[in-house]
Amino acid sequence: MKKNSSVLLVFITMMLFGLAFSQDMFPYHTPVQPAADTADLFAPTSEGTSIHFINVGQGDAILICSGGSSILIDGGDTGSGSIVVEYLTRLGIARLDAVIATHPHEEHIGGLPAVLESFPVDAFYASDEPGDTAICQQLMDTAAAKGLEPQFPDIGDVISFRHSAATLTTLAPGPDSAEIFSSRNSNAWSLVFRLDAEGCSALFPGDATFSVEQAMLQQNETALNCDILKVGSHGANISSCQRFLQAVSPAYAVISCGEHEPPAQEVSDALESLHAVVLKTSADGTVVLHLQDGEISRVS
């Protein structure tokens, strides 16, 4: 009888142990999803402007939504095309005012052919140095098939949103960028834009190098001062010289980088010295910032 009681006690203990980990006894906690999977929590509205730094690993894909209009700057690498298309689809994006290919590096333009295939696009902007790689040719062929003639915006040119007062002003590099900056480094061909919306501002320098940063400082240093900075070159130390960062003096700095390719320590230190809130897609996932009435709030 004592033996049977011991067996029964063990059985009851095991049953209670199992129940302790069941959802009947304790609330079930859904695993935390990557930031990119929370896109539907902040779908674009007619109020304010949202900037979505889509997590595409070591690459750039930036969606700007304002007043029911949307512009995409870069699209990640080739493998990110489906990620960007899915993100835009889940947000309910039906068409794009513009698609911008900042410069012909694969981690910036590789996903854009998939975007052009998936959405109606009103305008297509690209560097004046198109590059001669297979992905560059694929992008140009896709654009041509969709009836899109690549436009190269010169310094001072403005790209507008159809249903919003928001604007993107071109700050660099200007025509003949390969000759002016470097015929070997296509990072120096990066289109650079300043966004002005809702009393706030943001700077998107692509992978612009030190030489381009110096040129912008000489041409119009005050135009660089912005609330939000998309950190150039994924935080590598070929961009973001000290004087440039000081001129921008951002409240928020977003680094789009891969998990195993962290930003350079000197860039991180420089941003920290400016007391900027630094966000990295490698750690924070897709970053969404909302601009409205002169205020900036982080949504994800």
Side-chain angles (χ1 to χ4, degrees):
M1 184 69 179
K2 186 175 181 180
K3 181 178 181 181
N4 289 341
S5 298
S6 300
V7 172
L8 181 60
L9 181 60
V10 170
F11 177 78
I12 292 172
T13 301
M14 291 177 65
M15 287 292 291
L16 290 173
F17 184 80
L19 284 171
F21 289 91
S22 74
Q23 60 184 20
D24 295 328
M25 197 163 182
F26 290 97
Y28 177 72
H29 295 281
T30 304
V32 176
Q33 298 297 315
D37 292 336
T38 66
D40 55 344
L41 298 181
F42 193 78
T45 67
S46 59
E47 296 184 356
T49 297
S50 58
I51 307 174
H52 304 244
F53 300 88
I54 304 171
N55 182 16
V56 290
Q58 188 77 0
D60 277 8
I62 304 159
L63 177 69
I64 306 171
C65 301
S66 186
S69 300
S70 301
I71 291 177
L72 180 70
I73 302 176
D74 290 335
D77 61 18
T78 304
S80 300
S82 59
I83 295 173
V84 176
V85 168
E86 180 184 2
Y87 189 94
L88 270 60
T89 300
R90 291 179 58 198
L91 283 181
I93 303 297
R95 71 181 302 115
L96 292 163
D97 285 15
V99 166
I100 298 170
T102 58
H103 66 293
H105 274 174
E106 198 265 346
E107 77 272 18
H108 289 256
I109 66 169
L112 290 182
V115 172
L116 297 184
E117 290 281 4
S118 302
F119 300 94
V121 175
D122 294 337
F124 174 50
Y125 297 90
S127 166
D128 70 334
E129 309 294 342
D132 57 2
T133 62
I135 187 57
C136 290
Q137 190 60 54
Q138 181 187 355
L139 176 58
M140 294 304 166
D141 288 347
T142 305
K146 295 295 180 179
L148 294 167
E149 181 71 25
Q151 302 178 51
F152 171 68
D154 200 355
I155 294 173
D157 286 353
V158 175
I159 300 173
S160 300
F161 292 74
R162 282 180 303 147
H163 305 301
S164 168
T167 57
L168 281 170
T169 303
T170 311
L171 300 187
D176 304 317
S177 53
E179 295 179 16
I180 295 172
F181 295 109
S182 172
S183 60
R184 298 176 301 279
N185 186 358
S186 57
N187 284 323
W189 310 342
S190 291
L191 291 170
V192 179
F193 296 97
R194 173 191 169 102
L195 171 72
D196 287 281
E198 292 289 327
C200 303
S201 55
L203 189 65
F204 307 100
D207 284 354
T209 56
F210 291 152
S211 58
V212 182
E213 292 174 353
Q214 293 297 327
M216 288 190 288
L217 285 165
Q218 293 174 6
Q219 290 161 358
N220 192 353
E221 182 172 340
T222 58
L224 298 175
N225 183 249
C226 288
D227 303 302
I228 301 167
L229 171 66
K230 196 290 297 186
V231 179
S233 300
H234 320 290
N237 58 4
I238 61 171
S239 300
S240 305
C241 70
Q242 183 71 35
R243 188 181 163 207
F244 174 79
L245 291 180
Q246 289 173 342
V248 180
S249 189
Y252 289 88
V254 182
I255 305 175
S256 186
C257 59
E259 183 180 353
H260 302 295
E261 298 176 89
Q265 189 60 51
E266 53 264 47
V267 174
S268 297
D269 291 344
L271 291 169
E272 183 179 347
S273 70
L274 295 172
H275 306 291
V277 176
V278 180
L279 303 168
K280 299 187 288 289
T281 57
S282 58
D284 298 295
T286 292
V287 173
V288 182
L289 299 177
H290 186 61
L291 289 55
Q292 189 167 0
D293 299 328
E295 300 289 337
I296 301 172
S297 58
R298 182 186 173 190
V299 179
S300 73

